[in-house]
Amino acid sequence: IYETMAILLMRLHADKQPIAQSTVDRFQAIYEEMKRHHWWLTGPDDFPACAILVGQPESPAAIGDRIEQIYRSLNAVGLPSGDPLQTAANLLYLARLEAAEAASRFRDLSRGFRQHGVSIWSSDYDELAILTFLNHDPTAVIDRVLSNRAIMEQLRPKPDRSLTFNLASSITFLELVKLDRKMKEITDAKALV
């Protein structure tokens, strides 16, 4: 599935035309940069991120270094290292935030949800990363997610906790996002999730 997603993303980036060899070479260079920083974490599950990052203007080395800065900043604010954290860092690269700011927003959202009794697992990091794109007060984002989630919890059969958090986060994101010059990056990041 990861290969298929990566091909689809690169075809969309190329306006549905065949993927150029230069794009494939750039894809490989970005993947190798990820492996340079985390050879034990990087694998086929990172192909979709590499496919989206192919369209970024920075060099593969600059992309890899920036993702690593974000990864380390997230780890420094108390998030455990591992593959979900790498995925979050890959997504947050597209937010164009300073690494410390991205980590701070991410941490504030995570803490806020926990204070409201929501367990945040590493499987939720991709949704938290998408919510981190929003330049809104974390309390407003959290309240909106919880409100959307409460509605979903009334459905029968009742969806599981993970599904309601994922859907509520996605709906909240769509409700709060504003069209601006970053809309392409936001759309790409949401597609990656």
Side-chain angles (χ1 to χ4, degrees), residues 10-11 22 24 57 68 71 118 124 144 147-149 157 166:
M10 287 189 287
R11 287 287 307 266
S22 60
V24 174
E68 181 61 13
Y71 182 92
V118 177
D124 298 318
R144 193 72 199 132
S147 174
N148 285 328
R149 192 175 191 203
N166 183 309

Side-chain angles (χ1 to χ4, degrees), residues 12-144:
L12 289 172
H13 179 69
D15 295 323
K16 301 179 189 164
Q17 298 300 310
I19 301 167
Q21 183 61 47
S22 60
T23 301
V24 174
D25 294 342
R26 184 167 169 81
F27 174 95
Q28 181 178 2
I30 292 168
Y31 181 78
E32 293 301 326
E33 279 298 315
M34 286 182 180
K35 283 194 83 67
R36 183 173 67 87
H37 292 286
H38 298 280
W39 62 267
W40 63 97
L41 294 177
T42 305
D45 57 325
D46 294 300
F47 286 178
C50 293
I52 285 178
L53 295 170
V54 160
Q56 299 301 305
E58 294 81 12
S59 71
I63 290 171
D65 290 343
R66 182 87 179 106
I67 290 170
E68 181 61 13
Q69 289 173 357
I70 296 167
Y71 182 92
R72 289 178 186 257
S73 293
L74 290 168
N75 188 242
V77 297
L79 299 161
S81 59
D83 201 42
L85 197 65
Q86 180 168 319
T87 300
N90 291 341
L91 286 167
L92 289 171
Y93 173 88
L94 297 170
R96 301 286 182 203
L97 298 170
E98 290 298 319
E101 181 181 357
S104 176
R105 283 188 191 183
F106 192 98
R107 179 203 59 221
D108 292 348
L109 288 167
S110 180
R111 282 183 183 166
F113 281 117
R114 285 189 175 107
Q115 289 170 352
H116 282 85
V118 177
S119 297
I120 297 295
W121 305 97
S122 59
S123 61
D124 298 318
Y125 286 1
D126 54 352
E127 292 303 330
L128 283 180
I130 289 300
L131 294 173
T132 300
F133 274 72
L134 299 169
N135 190 18
H136 290 74
D137 177 23
T139 303
V141 173
I142 292 163
D143 288 346
R144 193 72 199 132

